[in-house]
């Protein structure tokens, strides 16, 4: 079974940092699930089956936390005793919010017009900004240890991630019509 006292990074044998090798995470996850999957313990005792189910759930939770950049940043902040911004914390700089509002309005107009190219261009811009923000977060968390500054960037990344999901949904709907 697994050691439940280890943090998510240690569980998968990864360095405790924001930068994450997605391939290494995926390989470690598959290997770990191969060891603890409840199907492997179908003929085991009730306590062993229960432990396997708990271990599998813990591995799944750890994987989800590390796979998603926003969740990974939250988890890393919590490991270092920093307050990770809750979902309800939407404090963002006014200029950032204005830019995202303009993007959202442009996306709504493009969706209404069925302009898939405009939606894809907006989506590409949002994703590029999110990647840049992820790189900035990596510097803040991995190199600078700026635990007090990082939560604001995490809020921005969460906002951009949601905006990208919304624009992607608009593009999918426009493509279907």
């Amino acid at each position: 079974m697994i050691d439940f006292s280890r943090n998510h990074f240690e569980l998968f044998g990864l360095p405790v940092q924001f930068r994450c090798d997605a391939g290494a995470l995926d390989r470690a996850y598959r290997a770990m699930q191969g060891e603890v999957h409840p199907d492997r313990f179908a003929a085991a005792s009730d306590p062993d089956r229960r432990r396997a189910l708990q271990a599998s759930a813990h591995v799944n939770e750890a994987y989800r936390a590390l796979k998603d950049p926003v969740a990974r940043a939250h988890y890393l902040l919590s490991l270092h005793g920093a307050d990770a911004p809750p979902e309800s914390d939407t404090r963002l700089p006014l200029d950032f919010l204005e830019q995202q509002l303009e993007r959202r309005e442009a996306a709504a107009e493009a969706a209404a017009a069925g302009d898939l190219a405009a939606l894809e261009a907006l989506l590409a811009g949002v994703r590029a900004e999110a990647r840049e923000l992820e790189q900035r977060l990596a510097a803040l968390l991995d190199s600078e240890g700026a635990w007090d500054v990082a939560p604001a960037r995490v809020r921005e990344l969460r906002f951009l991630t949601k905006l990208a999901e919304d624009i992607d949904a608009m593009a999918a709907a426009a493509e279907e019509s």
Side-chain angles (χ1 to χ4, degrees):
M1 278 305 150
I2 63 172
D3 180 356
F4 285 91
S5 67
R6 293 168 44 193
N7 71 48
H8 295 345
F9 294 96
E10 293 168 346
L11 180 68
F12 293 119
L14 299 172
V16 180
Q17 63 183 28
F18 182 75
R19 284 181 187 91
C20 184
D21 180 339
L25 174 61
D26 288 342
R27 287 187 298 277
Y29 170 72
R30 284 191 301 277
M32 187 68 64
Q33 271 298 14
E35 293 176 23
V36 299
H37 197 278
D39 289 349
R40 292 195 63 217
F41 296 85
S45 67
D46 280 345
D48 285 345
R49 285 196 310 269
R50 200 170 314 115
R51 277 192 295 278
L53 190 59
Q54 290 170 338
S56 181
H58 183 69
V59 168
N60 287 336
E61 175 188 327
Y63 178 73
R64 280 191 302 275
L66 298 185
K67 187 77 173 167
D68 175 61
V70 173
R72 185 170 59 248
H74 274 264
Y75 184 71
L76 196 53
L77 286 167
S78 72
L79 284 179
H80 287 85
D83 288 331
E87 286 278 328
S88 60
D89 185 350
T90 57
R91 292 174 295 148
L92 292 163
L94 186 57
D95 58 332
F96 176 84
L97 285 173
E98 286 174 349
Q99 180 185 22
Q100 305 324 313
L101 180 59
E102 288 172 10
R103 283 176 162 162
R104 196 172 285 282
E105 288 172 354
E109 289 172 8
D115 189 347
L116 187 57
L119 287 168
E120 288 174 348
L122 283 165
L123 183 57
V126 171
R127 286 183 174 157
E129 187 176 341
R131 281 190 301 277
E132 289 172 13
L133 193 50
E134 286 178 28
Q135 291 173 353
R136 180 67 186 128
L137 265 171
L140 287 170
L141 297 172
D142 298 346
S143 304
E144 300 167 26
W147 308 110
D148 56 333
V149 177
R153 302 297 77 81
V154 173
R155 281 191 297 273
E156 290 174 4
L157 182 58
R158 181 176 53 222
F159 194 98
L160 289 173
T161 300
K162 174 69 171 116
L163 180 58
E165 290 170 358
D166 292 348
I167 294 172
D168 193 36
M170 289 180 202
E175 203 169 37
E176 291 175 0
S177 11

